[in-house]
């Protein structure tokens, strides 16, 4: 037992990110009032970890005495979290400077939160699941309230914290019951016991509580109430990070625990998840139509997307797993980009966040309008872009698992979503307005947006690149 | 809070079943352990209810201490000596002092009545919670679940400092290390949110 050298090398992306987060902390405390230093160190840390992750996509191996899975599935998920963190850091600097709250702790917390996500995706033990979720959430609670002078930001942090603490209670109680009935927290051991345990009502109660906790983290109906308020109040780039990295991490754990370990295909748990998916699609899309604030619209849209992805978990087959993994990557680039543009448009005191503020943007800022159009088209699931294939794969999985009704509902609610995504495009291109910026967009923000947009187009043109890779994780 | 009692009840049932492989439930149910469990359980549920219904924050804090002590007693009856003492030391000791200090420093004036209005959401919420509670009670009271045996030869071995230390630094070394990162993140967060001078 204990920690060996090979454990460290096999989990190089994780360990290097932890070390870089410590380094950022040291740099921040040395270089007083020089958050730019922390920005560079954290960007370098995420970059190094990202580069190392590409070398860890082979077969997954358990490390740290079977507490953590590295490589394979976890390695791929790390790519998602690190891309999200990288783009968020790039976009945040200009935004925080304009909002007059640029401090180095922001980057430290982004790194810590990313470490938490990486733990969640690789968890092979319920204790690791818990610690990962807590590390991610504690950092995000603070990031949501990072603009201390803004009432909305404080409200957002408090709301997220109180409800998140409640969700943690559900998670722990669920883990306690699963431990009580199986006698172990080791997920591999539980997966072997699952055939007997699946008839044990106390075990099922534990699973139900886990579904509640995970549904809260991915903001699925009826555990979504926090999302619009938190996304609206939090710093806009943090909202982007929460709706992509954090959501992807929660989905990775959901997938790991409920499909890989519990094998819920055809059980009552799969039915429960299918109902949650259906409710998320309907409530998310219908409520999004009525929004006037773009940030709130994106929040409801992220609830709807959680619904689409959940249909892949309800299906619980290989198509569903690979579909969700593709979807998560595509969605990460799209949503970080969309929130990034909103953060560029935003002014101090929550100004310029409404739909009308985008009227006529194409005339004055054509580049931003084109990028936003790409993101909106991808969110709506219009073919050449990656969003289409994400939806296609998860709905295909639902059909294969005899959940055709869920796939039909998904397509119908996607049609509703086209209305509010394209409304923004129509406002930008076909309305006379005076949407403009009173500041120049930093080049690093444009680079981040360009990376996101190019990734969406490439993923949309060559989805097989990712699908073949993710399929290799599930050949057992 | 009452979910706590249900949880410990389940754990207790697990121990009970282990020891009662020869005698049936009714014979074993009159032991001192069972009596202690129900007494401490009642105290913890009762004090939790009192805590959330008191108007004065100091009274709430005092009931919370009582609740912590009752939970500590429950841990002790489950042979988790170490956890029981940590519960008393950390929660009833350190954390309660913080609570009382905050109450003192905030210098709360007279209680202002919260404007609670009638709403359908509350009715639905209460109904759902009640339904879930009934479901849980039903599951715990009537399910004949096969619970796994304990890993330890002697029940008194479970909660000793030696055993917890051994587990913590061998099997659970990785989670132990991760906890330190979690605490560091929490410290950074606390500084960000509470530091007086911005920038």
């Amino acid at each position: 037992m204990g920690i060996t050298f090979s454990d460290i090398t096999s989990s190089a992306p994780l360990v290097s990110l932890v070390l870089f987060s410590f380094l950022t902390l040291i740099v921040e405390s040395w270089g007083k009032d020089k958050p730019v230093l922390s920005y560079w160190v954290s960007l370098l840390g995420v970059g190094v970890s990202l580069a190392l992750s590409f070398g860890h996509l082979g077969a997954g191996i358990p490390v740290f005495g079977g507490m953590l899975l590295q490589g394979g599935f976890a390695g791929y998920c790390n790519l998602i979290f690190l891309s999200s963190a990288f783009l968020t850091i790039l976009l945040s600097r200009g935004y925080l400077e304009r909002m007059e709250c640029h401090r180095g702790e922001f980057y430290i917390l982004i790194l810590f939160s990313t470490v938490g996500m990486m733990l969640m995706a690789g968890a092979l033990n319920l204790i690791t699941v818990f610690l990962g979720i807590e590390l991610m959430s504690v950092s995000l609670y603070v990031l949501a309230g990072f603009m201390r002078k803004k009432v909305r930001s404080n409200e957002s942090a408090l709301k997220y914290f109180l409800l998140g603490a409640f969700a943690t209670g559900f998670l722990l109680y669920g883990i306690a019951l699963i431990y009580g009935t199986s006698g172990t927290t080791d997920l591999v051991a539980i997966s072997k016991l699952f055939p007997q345990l699946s008839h044990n009502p106390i075990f099922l109660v534990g699973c139900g509580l886990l579904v509640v906790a995970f549904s809260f983290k991915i903001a699925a109906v009826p555990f979504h109430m926090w999302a619009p308020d938190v996304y609206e109040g939090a710093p806009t780039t943090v909202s982007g990070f929460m709706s992509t990295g954090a959501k992807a991490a929660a989905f990775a754990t959901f997938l790991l625990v409920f499909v890989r370990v519990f094998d819920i295909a055809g059980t009552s748990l799969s039915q429960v998840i299918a109902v949650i998916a259906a409710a998320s699609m309907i409530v998310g899309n219908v409520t999004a139509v009525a929004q006037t604030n773009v940030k709130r619209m994106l929040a409801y849209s992220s609830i709807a997307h959680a619904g689409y992805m959940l249909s892949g978990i309800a299906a619980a087959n290989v198509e569903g797993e690979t579909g969700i993994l593709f979807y998560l990557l595509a969605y990460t680039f799209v949503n970080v980009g969309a929130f990034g543009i909103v953060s560029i448009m935003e002014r101090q005191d929550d100004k310029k966040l409404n739909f009308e503020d985008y009227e006529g943007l194409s005339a004055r800022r054509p580049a931003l309008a084109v990028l936003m159009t790409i993101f909106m088209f991808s969110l709506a699931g219009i073919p050449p872009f990656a969003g289409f294939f994400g939806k296609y794969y998860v709905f295909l999985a639902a059909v294969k698992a005899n959940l055709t009704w869920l796939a039909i509902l998904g397509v119908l609610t996607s049609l509703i979503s086209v209305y509010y995504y394209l409304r923004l495009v129509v406002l930008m291109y076909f309305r006379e307005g005076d949407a403009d910026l009173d500041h120049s967009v930093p080049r690093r923000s444009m680079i981040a947006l360009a990376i996101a947009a190019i990734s969406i187009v490439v993923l949309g043109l060559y989805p097989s690149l990712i699908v073949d890779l993710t399929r290799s994780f599930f050949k057992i | 809070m009452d979910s706590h009692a249900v949880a410990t009840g389940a754990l207790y049932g697990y121990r009970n079943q282990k020891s009662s492989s020869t005698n049936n439930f009714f014979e074993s149910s009159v032991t001192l352990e069972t009596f202690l469990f129900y007494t401490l359980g009642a105290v913890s549920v009762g004090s939790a209810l009192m805590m959330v219904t008191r108007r004065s924050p100091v009274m709430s804090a005092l009931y919370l201490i009582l609740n912590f002590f009752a939970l500590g007693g429950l841990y002790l009856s489950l042979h988790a000596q170490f956890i029981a003492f940590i519960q008393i030391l950390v929660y009833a000791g350190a954390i309660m002092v913080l609570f009382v200090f905050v109450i003192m420093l905030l210098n709360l004036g007279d209680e202002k009545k919260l404007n609670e209005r009638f709403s359908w959401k509350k009715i639905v919420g209460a109904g759902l919670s009640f339904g879930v509670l009934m479901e849980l009670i039903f599951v715990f009271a009537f399910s004949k679940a096969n619970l796994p045996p304990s890993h330890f030869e002697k029940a008194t071995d479970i909660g000793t400092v030696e055993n917890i230390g051994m587990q913590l630094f061998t099997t659970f070394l990785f989670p132990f290390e991760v906890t330190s990162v979690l605490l560091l993140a929490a410290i950074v967060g606390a500084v960000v949110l509470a530091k007086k001078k911005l920038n």
Side-chain angles (χ1 to χ4, degrees):
Chain A
M1 285 295 168
I3 290 172
T4 61
F5 186 68
S6 70
D7 285 342
I8 307 278
T9 51
S10 322
S11 53
L14 178 74
V15 173
S16 76
L17 195 63
V18 173
L19 292 179
F20 266 101
S21 61
F22 293 166
L23 189 65
T24 319
L25 194 59
I26 295 168
V27 164
E28 173 61 23
S29 55
W30 269 346
K32 283 261 177 252
D33 299 331
K34 282 198 191 68
V36 178
L37 256 153
S38 306
Y39 162 80
W40 281 112
V41 176
S42 61
L43 203 61
L44 180 68
V46 175
V48 167
S49 190
L50 200 58
L52 287 170
S53 289
F54 278 105
H56 283 76
L57 289 171
I61 40 166
V63 290
F64 296 118
M67 285 285 163
L68 198 68
L69 176 80
Q70 285 295 292
F73 171 81
Y76 174 81
C77 290
N78 289 350
L79 285 183
I80 300 179
F81 312 143
L82 290 164
S83 317
S84 173
F86 191 81
L87 298 179
T88 304
I89 291 174
L90 275 179
L91 286 164
S92 290
R93 186 172 150 196
Y95 175 72
L96 291 175
E97 279 169 353
R98 278 198 301 118
M99 297 294 146
E100 290 166 10
C101 63
H102 190 220
R103 282 179 293 149
E105 288 89 350
F106 184 89
Y107 305 110
I108 302 167
L109 288 167
I110 292 269
L111 292 195
F112 276 139
S113 160
T114 314
V115 171
M117 292 168 193
M118 291 165 86
L119 288 172
M120 286 166 77
L124 281 183
N125 194 303
L126 287 171
I127 292 175
T128 321
V129 171
F130 167 68
L131 286 171
I133 288 188
E134 279 310 282
L135 182 53
M136 177 189 87
S137 307
V138 165
S139 313
L140 286 180
Y141 300 149
V142 181
L143 284 172
F146 200 78
M147 296 173 155
R148 279 169 43 181
K149 287 179 186 157
K150 221 176 91 181
V151 180
R152 276 294 178 82
S153 181
N154 284 306
E155 180 202 334
S156 153
L158 197 63
K159 209 167 239 176
Y160 194 26
F161 170 65
L162 289 176
L163 292 172
F166 204 63
T168 303
F170 276 92
L171 177 75
L172 278 179
Y173 193 19
I175 290 176
L177 292 181
I178 289 172
Y179 174 65
T181 45
S182 66
T184 176
T185 53
D186 184 42
L187 287 174
V188 180
I190 296 175
S191 77
K192 284 184 190 123
L193 291 167
F194 186 73
Q196 301 123 268
L197 285 172
S198 59
H199 303 294
N200 184 334
I202 296 179
F203 179 79
L204 288 177
V205 171
C207 293
L209 293 171
L210 283 193
V211 171
V212 172
F214 292 155
S215 301
F216 175 85
K217 291 290 170 204
I218 60 173
V221 177
F223 312 103
H224 66 292
M225 292 300 196
W226 59 278
D229 292 350
V230 171
Y231 287 6
E232 192 191 348
T236 307
T237 48
V238 173
S239 310
F241 187 54
M242 280 197 280
S243 72
T244 56
K247 192 175 282 234
F251 261 107
T253 323
F254 211 138
L255 201 64
L256 195 70
V257 174
F258 278 89
V259 184
R260 296 270 88 200
V261 176
F262 291 173
D263 189 21
I264 56 165
T267 65
S268 53
L269 278 168
S270 147
Q271 297 293 325
V272 169
I273 293 170
V275 170
I276 294 177
S280 306
M281 291 177 203
I282 296 170
V283 173
N285 281 315
V286 172
T287 326
V289 171
Q291 302 306 314
T292 53
N293 180 309
V294 178
K295 254 168 124 178
R296 278 188 92 82
M297 180 276 276
L298 285 172
Y300 280 106
S301 118
S302 97
I303 294 169
H305 282 275
Y308 304 140
M309 285 185 257
L310 269 180
S311 52
I313 290 189
N317 47 21
V318 178
E319 287 81 7
E321 289 171 318
T322 53
I324 290 175
L325 289 182
F326 179 82
Y327 203 131
L328 283 174
L329 187 66
Y331 183 70
T332 295
F333 288 120
V334 175
N335 235 30
V336 167
F339 270 108
I341 289 183
V342 176
S343 82
I344 288 169
M345 294 292 291
E346 187 180 339
R347 311 286 164 84
Q348 280 207 321
D349 303 319
D350 285 335
K351 294 218 174 72
K352 303 283 178 190
L353 281 175
N354 288 336
F355 274 92
E356 312 88 78
D357 300 322
Y358 288 75
E359 282 176 0
L361 186 69
S362 66
R364 287 180 193 79
R365 300 280 167 170
L368 281 185
V370 167
L371 288 167
M372 195 60 158
T373 308
I374 294 176
F375 299 140
M376 288 301 128
F377 273 37
S378 185
L379 280 171
I382 291 169
F385 302 108
F388 167 76
F389 286 100
K391 277 183 190 166
Y392 170 76
Y393 290 128
V394 290
F395 293 154
L396 187 71
V399 171
K400 281 201 176 160
N402 289 324
L403 290 166
T404 315
W405 64 273
L406 200 59
I408 292 172
L409 192 67
V411 173
L412 288 179
T413 49
S414 298
L415 285 177
I416 302 177
S417 76
V418 173
Y419 167 75
Y420 58 83
Y421 292 133
L422 292 197
R423 195 170 128 211
L424 200 61
V425 178
V426 169
L427 286 179
M428 286 191 301
Y429 280 93
F430 303 109
R431 280 288 172 81
E432 292 298 312
D434 51 357
D436 202 358
L437 303 174
D438 56 3
H439 57 89
S440 60
V441 184
R443 199 187 308 139
R444 68 186 87 82
S445 301
M446 287 313 284
I447 291 173
L449 293 176
I451 293 174
I454 291 168
S455 309
I456 294 161
V457 174
V458 171
L459 286 177
L461 292 177
Y462 304 103
S464 54
L465 281 178
I466 296 298
V467 174
D468 291 343
L469 177 70
T470 52
R471 203 162 277 162
S472 70
F473 304 147
F474 301 113
K475 268 186 214 147
I476 293 174
Chain B
M1 271 296 161
D2 50 358
S3 62
H4 261 296
V6 181
T8 35
L11 284 173
Y12 190 78
Y14 153 50
R15 273 189 14 83
N16 237 2
Q17 280 196 345
K18 188 164 63 75
S19 60
S20 66
S21 49
T22 45
N23 49 1
N24 68 34
F25 176 76
F26 291 101
E27 273 172 68
S28 65
S29 69
V30 286
T31 58
L32 183 65
E33 272 183 85
T34 325
F35 173 74
L36 270 177
F37 167 71
Y38 281 109
T39 318
L40 289 169
V43 171
S44 61
V45 174
S47 59
L49 282 174
M50 291 297 273
M51 185 217 132
V52 291
T53 51
R54 290 311 88 188
R55 293 190 151 256
S56 147
V58 178
M59 287 303 276
S60 289
L62 289 175
Y63 276 110
L64 193 57
I65 298 182
L66 183 61
N67 179 266
F68 287 153
F69 270 96
L71 283 180
L74 279 172
Y75 292 144
L76 208 53
S77 76
L78 289 163
H79 298 284
Q81 306 92 328
F82 180 67
I83 305 291
F85 282 106
I86 291 298
Q87 164 84 11
I88 306 289
L89 280 176
V90 176
Y91 281 87
I95 291 182
M96 277 321 296
V97 173
L98 274 182
F99 265 117
V100 176
F101 260 102
V102 169
I103 292 169
M104 190 187 81
L105 291 174
L106 284 179
N107 196 17
L108 298 167
D110 286 335
E111 169 92 10
K112 277 190 204 108
K113 241 190 172 174
L114 280 172
N115 234 347
E116 297 220 29
R117 270 167 296 176
F118 172 87
S119 78
W120 280 108
K121 276 184 187 166
K122 277 180 195 157
I123 303 284
V124 173
L128 272 174
S129 321
F130 185 75
V132 172
L133 179 69
M134 285 297 122
E135 216 168 39
L136 287 178
I137 289 174
F138 181 81
V139 165
F140 286 115
F142 297 106
S143 73
K144 292 194 180 63
N146 291 320
L147 297 165
S150 166
H151 303 298
F152 293 93
E153 290 289 310
K154 284 206 316 243
T156 45
D157 282 351
I158 298 171
T160 57
V161 184
E162 288 96 318
N163 270 324
I164 288 179
M166 274 303 268
Q167 292 287 313
L168 208 55
F169 288 102
T170 55
T171 320
F172 295 101
L173 181 59
F174 179 69
F176 180 73
E177 298 290 348
V178 172
T179 312
S180 60
V181 181
L182 174 58
L183 288 177
L184 188 62
I187 294 168
V188 174
V191 171
V192 168
L193 290 183
K195 195 174 149 200
K196 212 163 193 178
K197 206 174 121 244
L198 288 161
N199 293 322

